[in-house]
Amino acid sequence: MQKYHVKTVRVNGIPNRVIADPEEKLAKIIRNQLKLTGTKIGCDCGQCGVCNVIVDGKVVRSCIVPWKSVAEDAEILTIEGIGTPTKLHALQWAFIVHGGLQCGFCTPGFIMASKALLDENPSPTREDVRDWLQKHWTACRCTGYKQIVDSVMDAAAVLRGEKEMEDLAKMLKPGDSVWGSRYPRPNAVYKVTGTWDFGDDAATKLPEEVLFAVPVCPETHHAKVKKIDIAAAEKMPGVAKIVTAGDILANKGTNRIRGQVGSPTATTDGWERRMIVEEGDKIRQWGECVAIVCAATEKQAREAAAAVKVELEELPVLLHVKDAMKPDAPKVYDEIEEIDGIRNCFNKRPLIKGNDPKAAIDKAAHILEEEFYSSRQPHLTLETDCGFGYYDEEGRLTVQTKSICVYRHLLMISRGLGLAPSKLRVIQNNMGASFGYKVAPTNEHLIAACVLATGRPVYMRLNMKEHIVRTPKRSPFLMKIRIGANENGKIVGAEHTWYVDHGPYSESSQDLTNKGGQFFLAPYHVDDLRGCGYTFFTNHRWCGAFRAYGAPQTYWGCETAIDMLAEKCGMDPLDFREKNLIRPGDTFPSGQKSEVYPLQAMITRIRPYYNIAKKRAAALSTAEVKRGVGIAIGIYNSNDDGPDDATSNIELTRDGVILYNTWEDHGQGADIGCVGTAHEALKPIGIRPEQIKLVLSDTAKAPNSGAAAASRCQVMVGMAIVESCRKLLDAMRRDDGTYRTYDEMIAEGIPTFYEGYWKATLRNNEGEVQHCTDMDGATGQGYPFANHMFGIFLAEVAVETKTGKTTVEKFTLCGDVGKINNFLVVDGQQMGGIAQGIGLAIKEDFVDVKTHNNLLACGLPYIKDIPDDIQLIHMETPREFGPFGAAGTGEMPLSAPHAAVGNAIYNAVGARVKDLPITPEKILAAMKK
Ligand code: FES
Ligand code: FES
C-alpha cells in the first residue's frame, strides 16, 4: 500500500494542500502536481541548479529535496512567484538587458539563487555573487557567466533604489535601428519568467492519451544481439506496446538513417545507421536501442524496459582510433571496404596545395614534428534530449524535438520509417541548447516509430545519464604535424595527417574530416602544403556536430605547433604569428582567397593587451603559483561546406509582417537574428520590431532555410530575409517613392507574400562573383566558404606548481565577425564559446561511459572555473556577401581558445601537454620531463 504525505504549503504566497509520495522530489511535485513548469529539471541529481526554488528563505535544488523533508506550512517560492512578463522583478529585467541568458533553460534557477542571495546580502561584490552561485552548484552552459554576474549586480542596484529599471518597451525610440544595437531578444521576457515552454514543459500539456516511451539499450559497446525477449515486459502494468525493428520493417521502412556522408571518396553509402537494432544484427556502440517500451507513465515504461531480456554475444571492442587502425583489429563493419588497406578506415580527404613541401621542410633551419590528440568533448546541455510525436490535423506524423535542421531530419528518417516525406512533419521545440549535437537525429526516428506503432501521442525524455552516454560527441583527432621554418622565422611548408575517430556511423563525417585540411595553418601564409585526413569507424560514441566542428581539433594541433615552432625559431609567439600571417592576396589551404584580411589589424589591436598581460604574469608569479600568457588564432566558416542555400518568406499583414523560415534556435538568438535583419531591411516603411512576427522551424509552415549549423544562419537566412524584404518593398513602393499600406495593396490586388532566396556567394581568386563549390576530392582545393570569422585569443593563467591546478584568470578575444546585428547576442556567443574553450582545455572529456555519465564527471565548467574578467574586442570588417556586412558568430569563439590556454600553461610552467584535456596530472608529468 502506497502511503502519501499530506501537507499544506504556501506556494508563491498561496496556500496549497499537497498530497504526495514522501520520497518524491520537490521539483517533480512543483512541475507535475502544482503545474508550475518554470522550475526545470536537468541533471536531476543536484549538479546544475536549474531546479532552484526558495524554501523558507533558503535556495534549494528541489530535485534532491524529498517531499518528506519539506515542512508543514513551508513557504515555497518559484520563478512564477517573483514576477510576470508584464510585471518583471528587477532580477528578471536585469537578465534581459544584460543578456544574462541564451537558451534560458538555466535562467529561472539563476534568478531564484540570486534572489536568495540579494535577500540575504543586498550589496554583494561580484566575487560574493560568484561564490554564492558556485556554492549552490548553479550552472550555465551557454553564457560564460560574466553577464549573469552583471545582471545580479545591476538588479541589486535597482533593489537598493540606486537605479531605475528601464522600460523595455521604450528602449527603442522611433527611427532607431535594431541592427547594431543591444535590443533584447523577443523571447527573453518569457525565459526570465519561466513561461517559455521547453520540450518537457510542453509535454505536460499533451492530450491525456499520451504514452511515455523508454528505449531499451543494453549496456555494451559491441555485441551480437542473439535474442530480444519482450514477452514478460509486454504484460507489465501500463504497457501499451513494445516497439521493435519489426514494427518499422512491417511499415516497409528500411530501418536505416542516412547521414550526410555523400562523398565519392568514402567506401560507405552512409546507410549503416540502424534505427532499432534487430535480432541477429550487432550493437556497435553503447546506448544502441533494440526496443522501445511505450507505457502510460514513465515509471511503468522504465520498469518494463528493465524487464526486456536481451541475449548478447559480446564482441571485441575498439575505443581508440589507434586500436581501430591496427592491421589485426576487428572490423566494425565486415561489409564496408577499407581505404588504402587501413583497418576500419572508410574515408580519405587529401589536401594538395602548391609544391610538395617535403624537401623544403627537410632543409629548413627549424623543423617542428609532433603528434597531438584532441578529446571527445561532450556537449553537456542542461536540458536533456526530449521530444514527442502525434498525428496532426492532416494526418501527418508530426515530431516535435530539439531538431536544429527540421527539413534535413525529415528526409533522413522518412525512408527508414517507410513514410513518404509528405506524410512527415518536423517542428522544433523551444530548446535548452544543442551546440550542434542536434544536427543528428537522436530521437526523431524513435518517437516516430512509436507513433506509427501505437497510433497515439508519444513522449520520450532521456535522463541526464542517458542523455550524456547516448548522444553524439565531438570527434577526436589524432594529428601528425610537420612544419618547417627558415632562419628568419618564415614558414616554408607543412605536412599534416589527421585520423578522425567517428564512432560507428559515418553521418556528418565528410565535412568534419575536410576541416582538418581547411583550417590547418589557415591563419598563415603557406604556399606549399600536403595533408590527408582519414576517417575511422570505432565502437566509441558516434561523433556528430559540435560547435566549431573540426576546428578545435585542428587548431589544437596547429596552434600548439606554431607556438612550439616559434620557440625553436627563438621568436615571441605573437611576433612569429604576425610574421607569418595570411595577408591580402594570400590563399587558405583550400587555395581560395579570403573575402577579408583583418588579422594584421587585429594583431595590432590586441598587442597592447598581450604586452600588459606578459608584464602582469611576470609581476604576479611566485614559486608556488606561476602565471603565463598564451595566444592562439582561429578562423571558421559562415556557411555549409560547398554549395549552400536558404529560403525565407515574408507576408505583409495589417499589423506588420510575418517571416517564415527555419532559422532554428539553439538558444543562440534566431528570433533577434530574424527581427534585427528584417527591421533593418524594412526601414523604409518604418516598421517597429514588435510588428515583425515569426513563424519558424515547422516543415508544414515554413520553407527550408537549411540547418542552424556552420554559423550560417545570419549570413544565409539573413540574406534570404533581405531578399524577401526587398521584393516586398518593391511591390509596396509607389512611383513617387512612398509606400502603399496593406489595405492599399489588397485594394490594388498586389500580392503580399514574397519569397527570399540566397545561395552562398563569393568572389573567386580572379575577383569574379560566383557560388561556393565542393572541394576537389583529390586535392582539397576549391571555394568551400563564402564568409569567414576571425579570432585572436589571449589567455592568462595561474598554475600551482605543486598540484598542477590551473586557473584561467583573464581572457581576451579580439574577433571579427563582420558587422554586428545584435551585441547582446554576439557578446553572449563569444563569452559562452570562451567558457566552453576553457572547459575543453582543462576539464571536459568523455572517455569511459561508466564514469563520464554526469555533468560533474564530464567536467562541466561552473562559474569559478571561468574568469569574471573576460574582454571582447570587436572588429567589424564589412562582408560583401553578408546581410548589411555581417558574417556568422557562434563557432569562431570555440575555434582556438583552448590552444591559447595550453600555450599559456606552457608559458607559465614549461609543461607542454599535447593531448586534451590538460589535467593537473599531465601538467605535473610534463613539468617533471
Ligand atoms: Fe536539480 Fe540539476 S540540480 S536538476
Ligand atoms: Fe544557461 Fe543555456 S542559457 S544553459
Side-chain angles (χ1 to χ4, degrees):
M1 180 182 55
Q2 169 73 54
K3 290 187 180 168
Y4 297 95
H5 284 195
V6 53
K7 293 175 197 176
T8 299
V9 289
R10 291 180 77 82
V11 182
N12 299 329
I14 300 167
N16 276 264
R17 186 174 296 138
V18 181
I19 302 143
D21 178 343
E23 301 303 327
E24 186 61 293
K25 300 300 189 292
L26 182 57
K28 292 214 171 121
I29 293 168
I30 289 171
R31 289 179 57 80
N32 300 338
Q33 296 186 231
L34 297 169
K35 311 288 181 201
L36 296 171
T37 53
T39 301
K40 310 299 176 195
I41 295 179
C43 69
D44 210 7
C45 64
Q47 294 183 352
C48 73
V50 302
C51 60
N52 283 338
V53 296
I54 297 175
V55 178
D56 291 330
K58 303 274 179 225
V59 59
V60 298
R61 277 157 283 151
S62 59
C63 71
I64 50 172
V65 176
W67 180 235
K68 66 185 178 196
S69 69
V70 176
E72 177 77 25
D73 290 331
E75 290 273 355
I76 299 172
L77 186 63
T78 72
I79 189 75
E80 291 87 350
I82 287 195
T84 64
T86 50
K87 197 166 187 303
L88 294 170
H89 183 276
L91 275 162
Q92 293 168 322
W93 166 83
F95 270 71
I96 294 173
V97 298
H98 285 284
L101 59 102
Q102 291 192 50
C103 79
F105 194 74
C106 67
T107 310
F110 271 99
I111 290 176
M112 296 313 295
S114 305
K115 165 113 183 37
L117 166 68
L118 298 186
D119 287 348
E120 201 174 298
N121 176 5
S123 302
T125 62
R126 293 185 73 88
E127 214 41 41
D128 291 338
V129 176
R130 283 163 56 81
D131 286 343
W132 181 269
L133 294 173
Q134 178 75 36
K135 184 169 98 179
H136 292 285
W137 296 100
T138 305
C140 176
R141 184 58 163 160
C142 303
T143 60
Y145 296 111
K146 181 172 183 283
Q147 317 87 305
I148 289 174
V149 182
D150 294 342
S151 307
V152 179
M153 295 303 286
D154 233 14
V158 170
L159 293 170
R160 290 194 304 265
E162 294 164 8
K163 188 169 185 164
E164 295 254 311
M165 289 202 281
E166 199 180 352
D167 185 344
L168 293 174
K170 295 190 185 138
M171 279 182 80
L172 212 66
K173 297 178 193 63
D176 281 355
S177 291
V178 176
W179 186 270
S181 75
R182 292 173 65 83
Y183 189 75
R185 62 179 78 201
N187 63 30
V189 71
Y190 308 111
K191 289 177 174 174
V192 298
T193 50
T195 51
W196 187 247
D197 274 350
F198 294 90
D200 199 33
D201 309 327
T204 62
K205 297 166 188 171
L206 288 170
E208 62 182 17
E209 308 79 60
V210 68
L211 295 167
F212 197 96
V214 170
V216 178
C217 303
E219 297 200 333
T220 178
H221 287 288
H222 197 194
K224 184 166 181 193
V225 179
K226 296 183 76 177
K227 191 165 172 44
I228 304 167
D229 181 358
I230 60 172
E234 260 181 331
K235 297 192 190 85
M236 289 178 68
V239 174
K241 168 87 182 156
I242 298 183
V243 181
T244 64
D247 293 291
I248 298 176
L249 298 169
N251 196 51
K252 298 198 170 48
T254 61
N255 192 31
R256 301 289 181 106
I257 295 174
R258 192 174 194 277
Q260 320 156 256
V261 64
S263 164
T265 54
T267 52
T268 170
D269 59 8
W271 283 106
E272 72 280 341
R273 183 175 169 195
R274 277 74 171 156
M275 289 184 160
I276 300 178
V277 179
E278 294 170 62
E279 252 178 27
D281 201 352
K282 288 179 189 169
I283 289 171
R284 291 180 170 85
Q285 65 170 346
W286 195 274
E288 208 99 78
C289 170
V290 297
I292 312 167
V293 178
C294 298
T297 68
E298 177 174 358
K299 189 164 177 283
Q300 288 169 331
R302 287 193 177 279
E303 283 168 0
V308 173
K309 293 193 191 95
V310 185
E311 201 183 314
L312 301 172
E313 177 189 325
E314 293 291 339
L315 298 169
V317 172
L318 296 170
L319 295 180
H320 198 289
V321 70
K322 279 189 175 173
D323 295 327
M325 69 174 78
K326 284 180 183 159
D328 59 348
K331 289 188 75 172
V332 177
Y333 292 95
D334 291 327
E335 65 276 22
I336 297 177
E337 217 181 297
E338 298 164 347
I339 296 245
D340 291 352
I342 307 169
R343 207 65 157 169
N344 289 306
C345 176
F346 66 89
N347 202 357
K348 170 182 172 181
R349 303 297 291 165
L351 177 78
I352 297 177
K353 182 188 178 194
N355 298 315
D356 188 339
K358 187 176 181 317
I361 299 171
D362 288 345
K363 282 193 294 194
H366 309 285
I367 303 170
L368 185 284
E369 187 164 1
E370 285 290 352
E371 186 174 301
F372 302 92
Y373 185 74
S374 67
S375 56
R376 195 181 304 271
Q377 187 184 23
H379 298 70
L380 304 181
T381 61
L382 301 188
E383 180 195 38
T384 64
D385 207 38
C386 62
F388 43 83
Y390 53 89
Y391 285 106
D392 75 358
E393 61 281 5
E394 291 191 16
R396 279 175 297 218
L397 201 165
T398 304
V399 285
Q400 287 191 212
T401 65
K402 298 176 70 174
S403 173
I404 53 168
C405 39
V406 288
Y407 275 93
R408 188 186 292 172
H409 281 171
L410 188 152
L411 293 173
M412 285 172 81
I413 66 172
S414 57
R415 184 169 164 195
L417 291 164
L419 287 173
S422 61
K423 296 286 177 205
L424 254 181
R425 175 179 180 184
V426 181
I427 302 174
Q428 188 199 24
N429 276 331
N430 297 334
M431 65 192 278
S434 154
F435 313 116
Y437 92 86
K438 277 304 301 177
V439 165
T442 52
N443 55 7
E444 287 75 7
H445 52 298
L446 301 179
I447 292 167
C450 292
V451 176
L452 258 181
T454 63
R456 288 172 61 175
V458 171
Y459 178 48
M460 180 183 283
R461 178 188 180 274
L462 302 185
N463 63 34
M464 185 56 81
K465 180 178 173 184
E466 293 163 343
H467 173 64
I468 290 175
V469 302
R470 295 185 196 165
T471 51
K473 300 287 169 278
R474 188 185 291 290
S475 212
F477 280 22
L478 173 68
M479 293 162 278
K480 297 185 180 191
I481 290 174
R482 196 162 169 266
I483 314 173
N486 68 19
E487 56 290 345
N488 300 319
K490 280 287 278 181
I491 296 172
V492 296
E495 296 169 333
H496 181 206
T497 310
W498 62 105
Y499 304 91
V500 178
D501 175 349
H502 211 262
Y505 306 148
S506 62
E507 184 179 302
S508 297
S509 60
Q510 163 94 346
D511 291 357
L512 174 77
T513 309
N514 286 348
K515 307 285 184 200
Q518 287 162 341
F519 294 121
F520 174 60
L521 298 179
Y524 308 108
H525 173 213
V526 189
D527 285 328
D528 300 323
L529 278 170
R530 286 294 179 276
C532 194
Y534 297 92
T535 326
F536 289 80
F537 289 125
T538 68
N539 299 117
H540 213 312
R541 193 65 206 157
W542 124 75
C543 294
F546 192 160
R547 192 178 194 174
Y549 194 41
Q553 294 94 320
T554 307
Y555 289 119
W556 169 241
C558 86
E559 280 302 279
T560 310
I562 284 288
D563 244 49
M564 296 170 83
L565 186 56
E567 186 178 20
K568 280 181 185 271
C569 294
M571 290 177 70
D572 173 90
L574 187 61
D575 293 344
F576 183 80
R577 286 178 168 85
E578 183 170 17
K579 181 161 206 141
N580 284 288
L581 276 190
I582 185 169
R583 293 176 194 283
D586 292 343
T587 55
F588 288 129
S590 64
Q592 173 190 346
K593 284 183 187 167
S594 182
E595 76 281 13
V596 287
Y597 292 86
L599 282 174
Q600 178 58 66
M602 291 164 69
I603 287 215
T604 306
R605 189 79 189 275
I606 207 165
R607 188 174 282 284
Y609 296 87
Y610 179 67
N611 292 339
I612 291 169
K614 285 204 297 187
K615 280 192 192 135
R616 189 163 36 228
L620 296 178
S621 279
T622 64
E624 292 77 32
V625 182
K626 300 224 179 222
R627 261 91 183 172
V629 178
I631 279 274
I633 304 182
I635 301 175
Y636 200 71
N637 50 277
S638 283
N639 61 275
D640 261 342
D641 194 327
D644 189 10
D645 63 356
T647 302
S648 180
N649 298 338
I650 193 165
E651 184 179 6
L652 182 69
T653 66
R654 187 164 283 123
D655 300 329
V657 295
I658 305 174
L659 297 191
Y660 302 88
N661 65 53
T662 57
W663 185 337
E664 294 93 349
D665 200 343
H666 312 222
Q668 84 281 25
D671 58 347
I672 190 65
C674 288
V675 169
T677 309
H679 184 263
E680 186 70 6
L682 295 172
K683 262 193 159 172
I685 55 171
I687 205 162
R688 287 190 57 80
E690 60 274 16
Q691 290 177 279
I692 302 170
K693 303 268 184 299
L694 306 175
V695 175
L696 303 184
S697 306
D698 176 344
T699 56
K701 291 188 173 169
N704 189 357
S705 321
S711 296
R712 61 183 288 288
C713 289
Q714 180 62 72
V715 172
M716 297 300 302
V717 193
M719 288 299 268
I721 291 172
V722 171
E723 185 60 11
S724 67
C725 293
R726 184 190 62 73
K727 288 182 181 171
L728 175 64
L729 291 179
D730 286 350
M732 293 174 74
R733 199 180 301 110
R734 297 192 190 91
D735 290 344
D736 65 358
T738 59
Y739 291 88
R740 296 176 179 88
T741 63
Y742 170 79
D743 289 333
E744 288 165 345
M745 296 277 282
I746 296 295
E748 292 180 48
I750 301 171
T752 54
F753 185 92
Y754 294 89
E755 182 176 294
Y757 177 76
W758 184 251
K759 206 165 172 186
T761 302
L762 48 76
R763 279 189 191 279
N764 63 23
N765 290 357
E766 283 69 50
E768 296 149 353
V769 175
Q770 68 162 71
H771 298 305
C772 289
T773 63
D774 280 324
M775 296 180 354
D776 182 278
T779 63
Q781 302 296 284
Y783 291 101
F785 303 124
N787 284 297
H788 299 81
M789 307 169 285
F790 300 79
I792 304 184
F793 301 87
L794 170 59
E796 298 176 50
V797 305
V799 185
E800 292 176 13
T801 50
K802 255 201 194 129
T803 64
K805 180 173 182 294
T806 298
T807 307
V808 179
E809 296 189 317
K810 181 173 166 68
F811 207 101
T812 307
L813 165 59
C814 179
D816 191 323
V817 296
K819 301 303 276 184
I820 289 175
N821 176 348
N822 186 278
F823 281 91
L824 281 186
V825 164
V826 169
D827 287 0
Q829 285 288 294
Q830 298 199 351
M831 299 257 185
I834 289 166
Q836 290 181 353
I838 292 170
L840 172 63
I842 60 179
K843 283 193 83 182
E844 296 173 24
D845 211 352
F846 180 79
V847 177
D848 179 0
V849 290
K850 296 204 170 139
T851 31
H852 289 121
N853 57 28
N854 62 73
L855 298 172
L856 208 55
C858 286
L860 176 75
Y862 289 87
I863 194 164
K864 299 286 276 201
D865 295 311
I866 304 302
D868 194 32
D869 193 352
I870 302 180
Q871 185 152 6
L872 303 177
I873 304 164
H874 297 302
M875 311 283 277
E876 291 188 78
T877 311
R879 306 300 201 265
E880 182 180 3
F881 297 110
F884 311 111
T889 302
E891 294 174 283
M892 175 278 284
L894 187 50
S895 57
H898 54 306
V901 173
N903 290 336
I905 290 170
Y906 178 75
N907 182 248
V909 292
R912 181 62 78 185
V913 178
K914 293 172 220 157
D915 58 321
L916 289 170
I918 313 167
T919 59
E921 299 72 36
K922 290 181 196 169
I923 291 173
L924 290 179
M927 282 170 70
K928 267 190 203 132
K929 258 196 217 168

